[in-house]
Amino acid sequence: MSEHESHFSVWGFIKGFAKLIIGMLLMLQGLIGLIVLILIVGVMVEVTNGIAGSDEKVSVSIPDDAALVLDPNGVLVELAEDVNPLEVLRQEAYGVSEPTQIEVHDLVRVIRAAKDDKRIKGLVLDLGALGASPSSASKLHYISAEIAKFKESGKKVIAVGDYYSQDQYLLAANADEIYMNDYGNLFIYGYGSYGTYVKSLLEKLKITSHVFRVGTFKSAVEPFLRDDMSPEAKEANIGYLSVLWRDYASSVEKARGLQSGAVEDYANNLGALLETVDGDLGKAALKAGLVDELLSRAEMNDKLKAAFGADKDGKSFKKVSYMRYLASVDKPADGSDPNVVVITAAGTIIDGEAPTGRAAGGDTIAAQLRKAREDDKIKAVVLRVDSPGGSAFASDIIRDEILAIKAAGKPVVASMGSLAASGGYWISAAADEIWASPTTITGSIGIFGYFNTFENTAAEIGVYVDGVGTTDLAPILATGIGPLPASAADIIQQSTENGYDRFLTIVGEGRNLDKTYVDSVGQGRVWIGEKALELKLVDKLGTYDDAIAAAASLAGLEKYDVVDMKEKRTTFEMFMRNLSETMVAKLGGEKQHHAEGAVAKIVRAAEQQAEFFAEFNDPNAAYARCLTCQ
């Protein structure tokens, strides 16, 4: 062996040995990291289990004589989606977080508990980050009524804000004092229903629309068939919108001690009012008696310190956030007494399963109902419905389980939230009693199907479909780029008509009404709660709490526990959620009142549109869904 070869072999051995050592060190580092990760996860799981499983292990301290700050940061919903707290932290750190969902019952629960809590001196409404959809009126009225009851305790309620949206102001109006930023604004514009109509666009693009519907008022597909709203749709929409507006105005006027018509006058004549105050929106709201004082943020803070006392460092007032307070009072019933279970169908009804709060999966809700039927401790069921409807097939799967519960001798009460239309009414109709609020949007008894084909569009660019099939129906395989066969269109229309007839039968049997009468109030028309009572579509007007009491009464229960059949967030998860908001506030200064970026808006809009189309998954392509009332 030459000297060169010997040198090469020794050097190769040294390099190889070095690589082996480095590899072993890297493997050891990875193993240590894995062990540490497992330990951290184990500790977090143990803490979570400890907090969730024992009220004695962890207590949340609430300072005496503190103001409860109701400052929800998100969109008001019936049932929130399950949230991974660590994912929330990650998203917020990068500024791309989705709007938080705020459960209406969480807000009601904390206000109700604080009313008789000697530690709570008053209530501060900081509503600048609260959002609500136009169809959420009943949720806002529910919270508004609870704030009014809180005032009966003699404790002060103060509202603060840079500005107030129409929905936020419905809650703020109940305050003893309303402060607004001296450069703020209050817009009240009423309720409306406006759509985008694309019939002419589709014709120009030579897209063929195939519509299958039953019902004069089933306007869900009008945007594809017309360039304007039909007279029938206008009649139906103004019918329920007028009641929403009337109740909004009267509620605000009563809370503020204003003359009847004052709110409508403000909305209709804001321009003229601005002329008297040099165009200052804040002064216009002050002159109209809608706010009490125009102040800077620093001045508002001084007012709150004077009302509730200063905190330890003297920089702010003595307070506790509603999320922290919720963690201290939100103790579910132990279930030792007979149970009245609440099962919530919130969101679009889709076929199959769906995660909590995302949609009402037919199989998911049916499984919960089946569990309630088979559990001997459960004596009555409240089906809480807050849904525009959706899949007719999934709606029927849910209805079958309701009928099975009734056959087992357990009463079922349907409690309608803000929206229980189309499929939402389908699943409610079989209940022993239906309770709605005066502003619940319901009805919309109708069926539709819709899709497009592009044979004419394709022909414009020289694309054609041709082939052979073994039956007259086989050309349906080419539908899309190819046309829809007339035989297939006839089948779909007949199936749609059958679905509508089935809907009428279900309502007639459930409500003990003649099918002809149901058809006369059906036809896809939307009704407001108080009119639905008059038309015998609901039994009683009342709250969520009233429906629970009615279910217990039907079951002959004087003492009972109310149990939600849903996966509850643990105290640890709520703590993490609160911590994430605190961290972002510390890093960025203020809570997220700022508008999201343009790119984020586009991405979110695209995601929402994709989710919208994914909800149309009925196996028969038949939908009992109210698109115009969402």
Side-chain angles (χ1 to χ4, degrees), residues 136-161:
S136 291
S138 71
K139 296 183 182 69
L140 293 167
H141 283 289
Y142 187 34
I143 299 170
S144 178
E146 209 60 46
I147 296 172
K149 292 177 185 176
F150 179 91
K151 288 173 62 178
E152 294 174 0
S153 67
K155 298 178 180 180
K156 184 177 282 290
V157 180
I158 298 176
V160 296

mmCIF file of all heavy atoms in Angstrom, residues 136-161:
data_model
loop_
_atom_site.group_PDB
_atom_site.id
_atom_site.type_symbol
_atom_site.label_atom_id
_atom_site.label_comp_id
_atom_site.label_asym_id
_atom_site.label_seq_id
_atom_site.Cartn_x
_atom_site.Cartn_y
_atom_site.Cartn_z
ATOM 1 N N SER A 136 -79.509 38.013 13.600
ATOM 2 C CA SER A 136 -79.266 37.707 15.011
ATOM 3 C C SER A 136 -80.074 38.575 15.967
ATOM 4 O O SER A 136 -79.712 38.700 17.142
ATOM 5 C CB SER A 136 -77.769 37.848 15.333
ATOM 6 O OG SER A 136 -77.014 36.851 14.706
ATOM 7 N N ALA A 137 -81.140 39.171 15.491
ATOM 8 C CA ALA A 137 -81.899 40.119 16.311
ATOM 9 C C ALA A 137 -82.358 39.508 17.626
ATOM 10 O O ALA A 137 -82.250 40.134 18.681
ATOM 11 C CB ALA A 137 -83.101 40.646 15.523
ATOM 12 N N SER A 138 -82.869 38.287 17.597
ATOM 13 C CA SER A 138 -83.402 37.698 18.830
ATOM 14 C C SER A 138 -82.299 37.489 19.863
ATOM 15 O O SER A 138 -82.540 37.589 21.068
ATOM 16 C CB SER A 138 -84.115 36.372 18.541
ATOM 17 O OG SER A 138 -83.207 35.357 18.191
ATOM 18 N N LYS A 139 -81.071 37.201 19.424
ATOM 19 C CA LYS A 139 -79.951 37.037 20.357
ATOM 20 C C LYS A 139 -79.671 38.364 21.061
ATOM 21 O O LYS A 139 -79.436 38.417 22.274
ATOM 22 C CB LYS A 139 -78.701 36.561 19.619
ATOM 23 C CG LYS A 139 -78.804 35.189 18.975
ATOM 24 C CD LYS A 139 -77.480 34.809 18.339
ATOM 25 C CE LYS A 139 -77.543 33.464 17.631
ATOM 26 N NZ LYS A 139 -78.379 33.502 16.416
ATOM 27 N N LEU A 140 -79.669 39.447 20.297
ATOM 28 C CA LEU A 140 -79.404 40.760 20.873
ATOM 29 C C LEU A 140 -80.507 41.165 21.848
ATOM 30 O O LEU A 140 -80.229 41.718 22.916
ATOM 31 C CB LEU A 140 -79.274 41.797 19.761
ATOM 32 C CG LEU A 140 -78.045 41.634 18.852
ATOM 33 C CD1 LEU A 140 -78.187 42.496 17.603
ATOM 34 C CD2 LEU A 140 -76.766 41.991 19.604
ATOM 35 N N HIS A 141 -81.755 40.889 21.499
ATOM 36 C CA HIS A 141 -82.861 41.219 22.398
ATOM 37 C C HIS A 141 -82.783 40.389 23.685
ATOM 38 O O HIS A 141 -83.144 40.872 24.766
ATOM 39 C CB HIS A 141 -84.200 40.985 21.699
ATOM 40 C CG HIS A 141 -84.578 42.064 20.726
ATOM 41 N ND1 HIS A 141 -84.954 43.321 21.120
ATOM 42 C CD2 HIS A 141 -84.617 42.074 19.368
ATOM 43 C CE1 HIS A 141 -85.231 44.065 20.055
ATOM 44 N NE2 HIS A 141 -85.027 43.334 18.980
ATOM 45 N N TYR A 142 -82.321 39.149 23.570
ATOM 46 C CA TYR A 142 -82.174 38.266 24.734
ATOM 47 C C TYR A 142 -81.145 38.840 25.706
ATOM 48 O O TYR A 142 -81.381 38.919 26.926
ATOM 49 C CB TYR A 142 -81.750 36.878 24.238
ATOM 50 C CG TYR A 142 -81.712 35.776 25.274
ATOM 51 C CD1 TYR A 142 -82.594 35.725 26.330
ATOM 52 C CD2 TYR A 142 -80.776 34.752 25.159
ATOM 53 C CE1 TYR A 142 -82.553 34.696 27.264
ATOM 54 C CE2 TYR A 142 -80.725 33.710 26.072
ATOM 55 C CZ TYR A 142 -81.611 33.693 27.123
ATOM 56 O OH TYR A 142 -81.569 32.665 28.036
ATOM 57 N N ILE A 143 -80.008 39.292 25.169
ATOM 58 C CA ILE A 143 -78.971 39.899 26.017
ATOM 59 C C ILE A 143 -79.463 41.233 26.569
ATOM 60 O O ILE A 143 -79.252 41.561 27.743
ATOM 61 C CB ILE A 143 -77.673 40.097 25.218
ATOM 62 C CG1 ILE A 143 -77.140 38.754 24.713
ATOM 63 C CG2 ILE A 143 -76.614 40.785 26.068
ATOM 64 C CD1 ILE A 143 -76.007 38.889 23.713
ATOM 65 N N SER A 144 -80.123 42.005 25.718
ATOM 66 C CA SER A 144 -80.637 43.306 26.132
ATOM 67 C C SER A 144 -81.579 43.172 27.328
ATOM 68 O O SER A 144 -81.494 43.950 28.298
ATOM 69 C CB SER A 144 -81.365 43.968 24.961
ATOM 70 O OG SER A 144 -81.922 45.202 25.327
ATOM 71 N N ALA A 145 -82.462 42.197 27.283
ATOM 72 C CA ALA A 145 -83.398 41.975 28.386
ATOM 73 C C ALA A 145 -82.661 41.592 29.662
ATOM 74 O O ALA A 145 -83.056 41.985 30.771
ATOM 75 C CB ALA A 145 -84.397 40.885 28.005
ATOM 76 N N GLU A 146 -81.563 40.859 29.530
ATOM 77 C CA GLU A 146 -80.796 40.445 30.712
ATOM 78 C C GLU A 146 -80.063 41.636 31.335
ATOM 79 O O GLU A 146 -79.929 41.728 32.560
ATOM 80 C CB GLU A 146 -79.800 39.351 30.319
ATOM 81 C CG GLU A 146 -79.475 38.385 31.422
ATOM 82 C CD GLU A 146 -80.687 37.631 31.948
ATOM 83 O OE1 GLU A 146 -81.491 37.131 31.134
ATOM 84 O OE2 GLU A 146 -80.827 37.545 33.182
ATOM 85 N N ILE A 147 -79.598 42.563 30.491
ATOM 86 C CA ILE A 147 -78.962 43.773 31.021
ATOM 87 C C ILE A 147 -79.988 44.611 31.786
ATOM 88 O O ILE A 147 -79.702 45.161 32.860
ATOM 89 C CB ILE A 147 -78.336 44.604 29.875
ATOM 90 C CG1 ILE A 147 -77.206 43.817 29.213
ATOM 91 C CG2 ILE A 147 -77.803 45.936 30.405
ATOM 92 C CD1 ILE A 147 -76.659 44.471 27.952
ATOM 93 N N ALA A 148 -81.199 44.690 31.240
ATOM 94 C CA ALA A 148 -82.265 45.436 31.917
ATOM 95 C C ALA A 148 -82.579 44.821 33.284
ATOM 96 O O ALA A 148 -82.798 45.539 34.267
ATOM 97 C CB ALA A 148 -83.515 45.464 31.044
ATOM 98 N N LYS A 149 -82.573 43.490 33.367
ATOM 99 C CA LYS A 149 -82.808 42.821 34.655
ATOM 100 C C LYS A 149 -81.654 43.087 35.622
ATOM 101 O O LYS A 149 -81.859 43.219 36.826
ATOM 102 C CB LYS A 149 -82.975 41.314 34.430
ATOM 103 C CG LYS A 149 -84.238 40.924 33.692
ATOM 104 C CD LYS A 149 -84.276 39.417 33.440
ATOM 105 C CE LYS A 149 -85.484 39.026 32.601
ATOM 106 N NZ LYS A 149 -85.471 37.576 32.275
ATOM 107 N N PHE A 150 -80.420 43.149 35.080
ATOM 108 C CA PHE A 150 -79.257 43.443 35.908
ATOM 109 C C PHE A 150 -79.423 44.802 36.580
ATOM 110 O O PHE A 150 -79.098 44.986 37.766
ATOM 111 C CB PHE A 150 -77.992 43.425 35.049
ATOM 112 C CG PHE A 150 -76.725 43.742 35.796
ATOM 113 C CD1 PHE A 150 -75.964 42.737 36.367
ATOM 114 C CD2 PHE A 150 -76.288 45.058 35.940
ATOM 115 C CE1 PHE A 150 -74.797 43.020 37.059
ATOM 116 C CE2 PHE A 150 -75.126 45.360 36.624
ATOM 117 C CZ PHE A 150 -74.381 44.333 37.189
ATOM 118 N N LYS A 151 -79.948 45.779 35.862
ATOM 119 C CA LYS A 151 -80.136 47.123 36.408
ATOM 120 C C LYS A 151 -81.116 47.134 37.581
ATOM 121 O O LYS A 151 -81.038 47.999 38.452
ATOM 122 C CB LYS A 151 -80.627 48.063 35.314
ATOM 123 C CG LYS A 151 -79.561 48.425 34.295
ATOM 124 C CD LYS A 151 -80.147 49.218 33.139
ATOM 125 C CE LYS A 151 -80.741 50.534 33.589
ATOM 126 N NZ LYS A 151 -81.260 51.321 32.435
ATOM 127 N N GLU A 152 -82.034 46.154 37.591
ATOM 128 C CA GLU A 152 -83.014 46.086 38.676
ATOM 129 C C GLU A 152 -82.351 45.830 40.029
ATOM 130 O O GLU A 152 -82.948 46.088 41.075
ATOM 131 C CB GLU A 152 -84.041 44.991 38.376
ATOM 132 C CG GLU A 152 -84.920 45.286 37.165
ATOM 133 C CD GLU A 152 -85.817 44.121 36.805
ATOM 134 O OE1 GLU A 152 -85.747 43.084 37.510
ATOM 135 O OE2 GLU A 152 -86.570 44.218 35.823
ATOM 136 N N SER A 153 -81.103 45.333 40.006
ATOM 137 C CA SER A 153 -80.378 45.085 41.254
ATOM 138 C C SER A 153 -79.875 46.389 41.877
ATOM 139 O O SER A 153 -79.388 46.389 43.013
ATOM 140 C CB SER A 153 -79.189 44.158 40.996
ATOM 141 O OG SER A 153 -78.214 44.811 40.186
ATOM 142 N N GLY A 154 -79.985 47.472 41.132
ATOM 143 C CA GLY A 154 -79.491 48.757 41.629
ATOM 144 C C GLY A 154 -78.042 49.028 41.272
ATOM 145 O O GLY A 154 -77.510 50.099 41.587
ATOM 146 N N LYS A 155 -77.387 48.075 40.599
ATOM 147 C CA LYS A 155 -75.997 48.257 40.205
ATOM 148 C C LYS A 155 -75.925 49.073 38.919
ATOM 149 O O LYS A 155 -76.756 48.934 38.028
ATOM 150 C CB LYS A 155 -75.330 46.891 40.005
ATOM 151 C CG LYS A 155 -75.293 46.037 41.262
ATOM 152 C CD LYS A 155 -74.668 44.680 41.002
ATOM 153 C CE LYS A 155 -74.634 43.810 42.254
ATOM 154 N NZ LYS A 155 -74.029 42.481 42.015
ATOM 155 N N LYS A 156 -74.906 49.903 38.843
ATOM 156 C CA LYS A 156 -74.764 50.823 37.710
ATOM 157 C C LYS A 156 -74.285 50.087 36.461
ATOM 158 O O LYS A 156 -73.474 49.167 36.530
ATOM 159 C CB LYS A 156 -73.786 51.944 38.054
ATOM 160 C CG LYS A 156 -73.645 53.006 36.965
ATOM 161 C CD LYS A 156 -72.724 54.120 37.403
ATOM 162 C CE LYS A 156 -73.417 55.079 38.351
ATOM 163 N NZ LYS A 156 -74.459 55.893 37.696
ATOM 164 N N VAL A 157 -74.811 50.518 35.303
ATOM 165 C CA VAL A 157 -74.373 50.005 34.004
ATOM 166 C C VAL A 157 -73.888 51.190 33.180
ATOM 167 O O VAL A 157 -74.619 52.171 32.985
ATOM 168 C CB VAL A 157 -75.517 49.287 33.256
ATOM 169 C CG1 VAL A 157 -75.019 48.778 31.900
ATOM 170 C CG2 VAL A 157 -76.072 48.137 34.093
ATOM 171 N N ILE A 158 -72.647 51.109 32.695
ATOM 172 C CA ILE A 158 -72.057 52.181 31.889
ATOM 173 C C ILE A 158 -71.576 51.585 30.567
ATOM 174 O O ILE A 158 -70.908 50.553 30.544
ATOM 175 C CB ILE A 158 -70.874 52.852 32.616
ATOM 176 C CG1 ILE A 158 -71.356 53.508 33.914
ATOM 177 C CG2 ILE A 158 -70.196 53.884 31.717
ATOM 178 C CD1 ILE A 158 -70.239 54.113 34.739
ATOM 179 N N ALA A 159 -71.922 52.247 29.470
ATOM 180 C CA ALA A 159 -71.455 51.839 28.142
ATOM 181 C C ALA A 159 -70.376 52.802 27.677
ATOM 182 O O ALA A 159 -70.524 54.026 27.804
ATOM 183 C CB ALA A 159 -72.607 51.815 27.152
ATOM 184 N N VAL A 160 -69.285 52.249 27.146
ATOM 185 C CA VAL A 160 -68.196 53.066 26.613
ATOM 186 C C VAL A 160 -67.873 52.579 25.201
ATOM 187 O O VAL A 160 -67.971 51.390 24.905
ATOM 188 C CB VAL A 160 -66.933 52.985 27.499
ATOM 189 C CG1 VAL A 160 -67.196 53.565 28.872
ATOM 190 C CG2 VAL A 160 -66.423 51.545 27.619
ATOM 191 N N GLY A 161 -67.477 53.517 24.338
ATOM 192 C CA GLY A 161 -67.134 53.096 22.987
ATOM 193 C C GLY A 161 -66.613 54.238 22.143
ATOM 194 O O GLY A 161 -67.001 55.401 22.327
#
